[in-house]
Amino acid sequence: GADNKMKLWDINTESEIVNFITYLNKDYIIMTPDNYYLCSRNGVKVIAFVIGNNAYPPEQYDMRYNRPDIVLKRIGLASDDLIEAYRKAYLKRLKKMNFNENMFNNDFQLPEVKLLTEKIPLSTEERNLKFQIKAEDAKYNLDRLNVFVNDVPVYGAAGINLKDNNSKVYQGELNIELSKQKNKIKISVLNEKGIESLYLTFDIKYETKFSKPDLYILTIGASFYNDSKYILKYASKDACDIA
């Protein structure tokens, strides 16, 4: 097509099945008309969700719409085993995040998170950074607060539990331990429908004198197995040599 998309149609029903979009000839995304998608590692860089006059990155809706199992089933060429494997992987992801498919909704209600502390310094000599935030949703209760330092989740994949509050608003103080030198802080909130807010993002530099860290090394090398087909000649030697 003139829009650089390749479309797959069902000629019997005259309905569109999927769109194929390529990115720099090495990445891709395949999308259904109802927003489900399957993509390569960087494929999501070519899309955004547009609601009204606002465009949102696909990460905001990834938990619901990143569904390779649905896309492959619609196309109709993948094996049932592959489709089921993708579905099980998706359900495992939802379980890990304490969500289920019945929690999703179609109204694209987006929660918000705001920084209440007026001045965040560009740099600090303090190891810990304290600041106030406010998270809210106009329609649904809040589920969790995510905090990242240099893209590492400070409170784990599940974040800070807000579900037990049964509230659309959360206000509180965060106390974050900074890493040496540059720290990129990202904060988001999810509502009970699995929709994530846009990230609240800022940078701060932790100025501290360099100290040599402790180094711990654990090496594991197994050379011998009950099944002789799997015996490796140098695995244990390599592990010892690295240590």
Side-chain angles (χ1 to χ4, degrees):
D3 56 1
N4 293 320
K5 297 177 183 177
M6 183 172 71
K7 295 179 181 288
L8 178 65
W9 294 82
D10 184 326
I11 59 174
N12 295 315
T13 62
E14 298 183 359
S15 59
E16 178 184 313
I17 300 175
V18 291
N19 282 285
F20 297 88
I21 306 168
T22 59
Y23 178 64
L24 297 179
N25 295 321
K26 59 182 180 179
D27 284 293
Y28 64 88
I29 184 164
I30 308 172
M31 298 186 65
T32 68
D34 48 351
N35 298 316
Y36 295 111
Y37 62 86
L38 177 161
C39 66
S40 61
R41 186 176 185 87
N42 295 310
V44 291
K45 291 183 177 180
V46 303
I47 66 166
F49 282 88
V50 178
I51 305 169
N53 294 322
N54 298 315
Y56 301 101
E59 291 86 352
Q60 309 304 125
Y61 303 98
D62 188 75
M63 191 185 303
R64 177 174 183 179
Y65 290 108
N66 188 354
R67 296 295 304 271
D69 57 317
I70 292 178
V71 175
L72 292 176
K73 188 173 183 179
R74 300 269 183 93
I75 294 174
L77 295 177
S79 68
D80 291 339
D81 289 341
L82 179 60
I83 293 172
E84 183 60 20
Y86 272 119
R87 175 165 172 76
K88 286 181 178 178
Y90 174 71
L91 294 176
K92 184 177 180 181
R93 180 189 180 194
L94 287 187
K95 184 178 180 180
K96 184 178 180 181
M97 300 293 289
N98 294 320
F99 275 96
N100 62 69
E101 292 178 280
N102 297 325
M103 296 170 67
F104 297 125
N105 207 317
N106 293 320
D107 59 3
F108 290 93
Q109 175 63 35
L110 202 68
E112 295 181 341
V113 59
K114 300 176 182 178
L115 183 64
L116 297 183
T117 301
E118 292 185 3
K119 293 184 179 180
I120 299 291
L122 296 176
S123 64
T124 180
E125 294 182 356
E126 300 293 330
R127 182 66 182 270
N128 286 69
L129 176 67
K130 296 180 180 180
F131 55 92
Q132 295 279 337
I133 60 100
K134 182 179 181 180
E136 58 186 336
D137 191 296
K139 190 172 183 179
Y140 299 112
N141 287 342
L142 302 178
D143 185 87
R144 73 193 65 181
L145 190 74
N146 293 320
V147 182
F148 302 87
V149 176
N150 295 331
D151 294 319
V152 176
V154 177
Y155 299 98
I160 299 174
N161 180 19
L162 303 179
K163 184 183 299 184
D164 296 340
N165 296 344
N166 291 317
S167 175
K168 299 178 180 64
V169 180
Y170 169 80
Q171 184 172 325
E173 181 180 77
L174 295 178
N175 185 351
I176 297 177
E177 184 175 305
L178 300 175
S179 301
K180 294 176 182 177
Q181 298 304 311
K182 184 178 179 181
N183 292 265
K184 184 177 183 180
I185 312 296
K186 295 197 305 183
I187 305 164
S188 69
V189 64
L190 275 76
N191 65 21
E192 62 184 344
K193 298 301 179 181
I195 302 300
E196 187 174 15
S197 70
L198 297 176
Y199 285 113
L200 167 65
T201 305
F202 60 88
D203 295 326
I204 183 170
K205 190 175 183 181
Y206 173 38
E207 304 277 9
T208 182
K209 292 182 179 179
F210 176 79
S211 60
K212 188 175 181 180
D214 294 330
L215 175 64
Y216 299 90
I217 297 176
L218 171 65
T219 62
I220 300 175
S223 292
F224 299 98
Y225 296 84
N226 290 333
D227 190 333
S228 61
K229 291 188 299 183
Y230 298 110
I231 289 179
L232 303 173
K233 191 172 182 180
Y234 295 110
S236 58
K237 179 182 180 301
D238 289 345
C240 294
D241 289 347
I242 289 173

